[in-house]
Amino acid sequence: MTRLSEYLLPTERKAPADAEAISHKLMVRAGLIRQIGAGMWTWMPAGWRVHQRVVSIIREEMDAIGAQEMLMPVLQPAELWRKTGRIAIDELFKLHDRKGAELVLAMTHEEAVTTHVAQVVRSYRDLPKILYHFQVKERDEPRPRAGVLRTREFVMKDSYSFDRDDQGLAKSYDLHVGAYDRIMERTGLRFYCVEADVGMMGGLGAHEYMAPCPAGENEVVLAGSYAANIEVASATPQQVQLTEPLPQPRELSTPGLTSVEEVATSLGLAPGALLKAYPVVVEAGAARAKTGSAGNVGNAKEGGAGGASTSEAPADRLVLVLVRGDHMVNEIKLGLALGARSRPARPEEISAQLGPPGFIGPVGLDGRVEILLDNAVAERLDATEGGYVTGANRPDTHLTGVRPGRDFAFRAVDVRSVCEGDTIDGVPVTIEPAIEVGNIFKLGLRYSEPLGATYLDENGVQQAIWMGCYGIGPARIAAAAVEQYADEQGISWPKALAPFALHLVAVGKQGSPEREAGERVYEALRAAGVEVLYDDRDVGPGEKFADAELLGCPLRLTVGKRALESGEIEVQVRRGRAAAPGLPLGGDAPTLAAGIAELWQDLP
RNA sequence: CGGGGAGUGGCGCAGUCUGGUAGCGCACCCGGCUGGGGGCCGGGCGGUCGCAGGUUCAAAUCCUGUCUCCCCGACCA
């Protein structure tokens, strides 16, 4: 169906000098994508075929759960986004038309779809509904990166469910879980469905579909059947092993030792014997407004200044967060614990309210500053029986034997990131980098309320519509597949995503018997309806083989001297580059089709 | 936004320090050879050296400004 001599497949011998990620390098080298600006990418013909394969799978599974495909515009009036408060999001592209009217480029489509539903849906009889489209999303990313892994413009399938109540939403959500599981399985990707940040939406529920690979920007925590984004994961910490008894003096002179590591090393203690003090400031009016959207799949989470009201102006508030010295504060969990956004305190704020930066601690604050103590410390006071080492809030001084509860009051919260060595129900966790390829989110009334999406129930009472949103990024699925299965030679597509089912290589000079045999095989495959890319270029065999393995179609057929001699077309399976049983060189279309179908069945 | 790096032909790079006619490999075009792992020989085409201004007899090279791209971090419902 396609002759390489006529096809636009601009392969490159070398990757772009600035490329880092495997998928970035290989997709450019294989002629699948080309960059036109930061975070702006063109899909070349073969790349678009891959993209469309993903789209087809998604469409079939969405249709299978009764979702209805539509198309909404990217260019939208700013007014809609003002109503939901999302006009304040930095990533939202804003522009004006010639009349000066304010417009935005949609980053997701909650505003649009909800507006329509608000106009059209009147009665409980009109519900439930699941609507979806494939549409470009525009996001002013602070840092696009890694080829098509994080771009400023990308196609997303976003669907939206509309139900009369939370139970209906739960059903729609479950339908999507089923559809997404099937989509991921069909793509051939290795993936996890993980618990995700539900934020302030009331814990309605959110999951992310993660494809593990080294280029991933997210981290997933796994243990047995447990799977969660590290942003929300919780686990049991490892016990601190004290190799030395705590120093006796209550006060220690620790000149110039401002980090946990320095103090621990100097005292010969495990870092876990210290308390790490992490002062943050909750800024006035910085309620942690979660916008909730089908959002991140192809891309960044949206910033959420969404409509935080600032009618009153409370002062900035300093909070001291304490975690064990070997642990890290998790910003997402901290946000949940505080119920607000926060930022690290500035040195002058620390000096003014606590003590010299590097020597601060919880003792002696007399309730002036709220103290959040991580559960790993609060729930396991026995971990270091003699208490912990902390800053003394005086220059060059630390305290030993500090015991939470006795020496300072606190609120116990879970604010640390899970780390290697933790366990869940006794099972050690593993932490893997992964690409977020899809997400599902229970929105609740976040959009239906501001946009007036309501219905009348059986009693004639007006009710708000319960919504869910569900995103999935075909580009990321394609890139994740490259990341997961590439080898030294190039891409190795799962059969469901390959641009062509097979790559036919004819070796021998033009007009040779080998090439004529190649032509006949090509025509037979074409007649059989096989999706074949035929390398009929007048170049050497090495180049053809190299390009075939770079592009990564699941099967490579070779017609050359050997085929003429043996009467069999050679077959190579791309995954593992293993030879497969040959096909009859003189076979007619049905014979070849049957042979290929048989091979195809066993492919990954 | 902070830090680092880079803009020279389609791709990968040298040349910049020390100013003096813009080079190399690959690719591409023509001719020939070769034809099972990016092969060989010969001959060619192609570049406002990111952009603007300045210094100078003379600027890819020095100065000033600016734009763009990449990497790390920050940011990222």
Side-chain angles (χ1 to χ4, degrees), chain A residues 36-60:
Chain A
I36 203 164
M40 295 176 269
W41 289 83
T42 293
W43 292 81
M44 303 304 279
W48 190 241
R49 288 178 65 95
V50 174
H51 193 281
Q52 293 296 74
R53 291 232 194 277
V54 182
V55 165
S56 296
I57 292 170
I58 297 168
R59 178 175 285 125
E60 287 170 18

Side-chain angles (χ1 to χ4, degrees), chain A residues 313-331:
Chain A
D316 290 356
R317 176 166 62 100
L318 189 86
V319 176
L320 188 62
V321 182
L322 296 173
V323 297
R324 219 167 72 183
D326 56 335
H327 289 157
M328 300 284 288
V329 174
N330 177 321
E331 303 287 343

Side-chain angles (χ1 to χ4, degrees), chain A residues 295-416:
Chain A
N296 339 302
V297 184
N299 251 296
K301 309 187 172 185
E302 31 197 275
S309 114
T310 50
S311 50
E312 44 196 279
D316 290 356
R317 176 166 62 100
L318 189 86
V319 176
L320 188 62
V321 182
L322 296 173
V323 297
R324 219 167 72 183
D326 56 335
H327 289 157
M328 300 284 288
V329 174
N330 177 321
E331 303 287 343
I332 301 279
K333 290 164 84 171
L334 177 58
L336 291 170
L338 289 170
R341 295 174 151 256
S342 64
R343 59 164 172 83
R346 290 188 273 266
E348 62 272 20
E349 292 168 324
I350 296 171
S351 303
Q353 299 190 52
L354 298 168
F359 299 96
I360 59 173
V363 180
L365 297 178
D366 302 325
R368 283 179 289 123
V369 173
E370 184 186 8
I371 294 173
L372 299 187
L373 181 65
D374 182 65
N375 283 340
V377 179
E379 293 177 352
R380 301 174 63 85
L381 295 177
D382 59 336
T384 57
E385 288 181 6
Y388 291 85
V389 175
T390 75
N393 292 322
R394 290 195 301 281
D396 299 332
T397 311
H398 279 78
L399 302 178
T400 63
V402 173
R403 286 176 179 249
R406 184 190 70 188
D407 295 324
F408 64 92
F410 61 87
R411 177 156 74 91
V413 290
D414 179 10
V415 288
R416 74 171 182 108

Side-chain angles (χ1 to χ4, degrees), chain A residues 107-181:
Chain A
M107 47 195 296
T108 58
H109 283 76
E110 282 81 2
E111 278 79 3
V113 73
T114 310
T115 295
H116 289 123
V117 166
Q119 288 166 346
V120 169
V121 169
R122 296 268 106 96
S123 154
Y124 68 92
R125 294 191 183 88
D126 299 326
L127 298 172
K129 287 269 180 297
I130 298 176
L131 303 170
Y132 78 101
H133 69 347
F134 290 90
Q135 177 60 292
V136 155
K137 304 291 175 260
E138 305 285 347
R139 295 183 185 180
D140 193 358
E141 284 289 333
R143 189 155 98 81
R145 61 177 290 273
V148 295
L149 243 31
R150 178 176 292 276
T151 55
R152 293 199 283 182
E153 174 177 286
F154 61 97
V155 172
M156 187 196 304
K157 184 289 298 177
D158 40 327
S159 51
Y160 304 91
S161 65
F162 301 89
D163 284 279
R164 48 183 306 175
D165 52 30
D166 57 343
Q167 288 158 357
L169 170 56
K171 277 184 203 159
S172 294
Y173 192 84
D174 288 344
L175 283 174
H176 277 87
V177 169
Y180 274 44
D181 284 349

Side-chain angles (χ1 to χ4, degrees), chain A residues 219-263:
Chain A
E219 288 186 301
V220 295
V221 175
L222 307 164
S225 62
Y226 182 86
N229 191 315
I230 198 164
E231 292 175 348
V232 299
S234 291
T236 306
Q238 212 167 22
Q239 284 240 333
V240 177
Q241 301 296 328
L242 280 189
T243 52
E244 298 277 328
L246 279 172
Q248 281 311 308
R250 171 95 173 138
E251 289 193 15
L252 294 170
S253 174
T254 51
L257 306 179
T258 58
S259 71
V260 166
E261 200 184 326
E262 287 166 354
V263 175

